[in-house]
Amino acid sequence: MAAQRGDENAFAALVERHWPQMVGLARSMVGDAEAEDAAQEGFVTAWRKLRDLRDPDAFRAWISRAIVRSCWRRSRRRPTSVPLELVAELENPGAGEAGAMLDVERLLRMLAPRQRAVMHLTVVAGMSDREIGEVLEIDAASVRAHRRRARDRLRSVLGADGR
Amino acid sequence: MPDELERFDDALRDLACRPPRTSPAEAARAVAGAIRADRRRWTTRFSALAAAAAVVLALSATLLWQPGRRPEPVAVAGHAASTGLGEGVVLMWLDEETPLYMTFQLPGNGAPGNGATP
């Protein structure tokens, strides 16, 4: 791959091609406000490590991993706890915007970072458990476990919301 | 309940598929700029580190390296005279304070055990 030989234009073309999907992934991970910064940071880190990519055909999974890591770094820098008023709002229909329309960003913040990634890669990217496992460097069984826990969490919050 | 989870999935798709504020072309330019800035930052850091290492090396060399102290030239003859060296005795100074006396004798001239051949 030309980008691996240091061709910046080739890498710019890759950024252009994957930018919308990677911003989408970052949005699911860190929210809309920080998504583009996180995605850019992920691409810059990826450029530095591009020589580590063995199979150029696996670029999509590889760049997804770089973006996920960049989002994790950002999540670690910020407090990850969910504010109590947010939980109360989600569990109390009509108290906030969550009553009428799903505030998906807020719901995502109630999930662990890895669960958010699994949910995005399953629901939005349509990846198989094996592919998700490759992105997150875990096995397929762990992917299923993360998804199950995420669904349980959402079910409990949305169940309370819908009551 | 499944409806709620489906609503969540739909909302997640909507969120993730919303077009980014920055267009792909702009993003590619921004990433290229960030890469160049990153490279400059690394180069600057590396240069600073190399300069610091060179300074440390130079300082260490200056502090640790001392030219070998050589004894002052000794007036051997005069010294020999003053210390009353006998015939066949050679005095060498290993340094300013360490003399080394060596005695030479012709075979048969000395007592046994003094270098004479049996």
Side-chain angles (χ1 to χ4, degrees):
Chain A
M1 190 160 65
Q4 284 183 296
R5 292 190 294 272
D7 184 341
E8 283 182 21
N9 292 331
F11 188 69
L14 287 171
V15 174
E16 218 169 319
R17 190 187 314 157
H18 294 276
W19 178 251
Q21 294 80 23
M22 294 306 123
V23 170
L25 171 58
R27 213 179 262 147
S28 299
M29 299 280 302
V30 292
D32 188 41
E34 288 191 57
E36 298 197 9
D37 287 344
Q40 181 173 319
E41 213 172 274
F43 274 110
V44 173
T45 311
W47 164 260
R48 244 186 263 142
K49 297 181 176 175
L50 201 55
R51 281 168 206 274
D52 297 347
L53 172 63
R54 294 198 182 154
D55 177 12
D57 292 335
F59 183 78
R60 183 180 168 227
W62 187 81
I63 193 66
S64 299
R65 189 183 311 153
I67 303 297
V68 166
R69 280 185 182 162
S70 160
C71 293
W72 280 341
R73 275 196 296 275
R74 278 175 173 265
S75 300
R76 273 199 294 269
R77 275 184 239 141
R78 284 181 313 160
T80 50
S81 56
V82 179
L84 282 175
E85 63 269 26
L86 168 59
V87 178
E89 196 178 306
L90 283 164
E91 290 181 352
N92 184 9
E97 333 158 27
M101 212 177 83
L102 273 189
D103 189 342
V104 70
E105 270 197 54
R106 289 183 165 201
L107 284 166
L108 283 165
R109 280 171 61 195
M110 301 185 85
L111 303 179
R114 211 183 279 269
Q115 292 172 357
R116 289 178 220 162
V118 168
M119 289 306 289
H120 176 96
L121 296 171
T122 304
V123 174
V124 181
M127 286 183 174
S128 69
D129 291 349
R130 191 186 55 79
E131 289 170 319
I132 296 172
E134 278 169 20
V135 171
L136 301 179
E137 294 175 296
I138 54 178
D139 57 37
S142 302
V143 171
R144 283 190 288 276
H146 282 298
R147 190 169 42 237
R148 196 176 49 246
R149 269 182 236 130
R151 293 258 189 236
D152 286 347
R153 179 84 175 116
L154 290 168
R155 201 172 283 128
S156 72
V157 173
L158 292 171
D161 190 27
R163 238 174 261 144
Chain B
M1 184 60 59
D3 287 352
E4 287 299 321
L5 288 180
E6 275 170 31
R7 273 182 68 205
F8 171 82
D9 287 358
D10 290 342
L12 179 58
R13 270 186 220 104
D14 287 347
L15 173 80
C17 297
R18 209 182 293 159
R21 280 183 289 275
T22 310
S23 74
E26 272 177 76
R29 275 194 297 276
V31 169
I35 286 170
R36 275 192 290 273
D38 186 62
R39 188 181 296 146
R40 268 197 303 275
R41 202 164 43 241
W42 278 97
T43 311
T44 311
R45 266 188 217 165
F46 181 77
S47 309
L49 214 67
V55 168
V56 169
L57 266 175
L59 276 174
S60 312
T62 310
L63 290 173
L64 297 176
W65 183 76
Q66 290 178 334
R69 292 194 304 164
R70 292 194 176 88
E72 291 295 316
V74 177
V76 176
H79 194 83
S82 66
T83 50
L85 291 175
E87 198 181 330
V89 178
V90 174
L91 169 63
M92 287 174 72
W93 288 92
L94 298 180
D95 61 35
E96 280 169 288
E97 290 153 7
T98 317
L100 174 66
Y101 291 91
M102 289 192 288
T103 307
F104 295 91
Q105 283 187 331
L106 290 171
N109 280 357
N114 275 351
T117 48

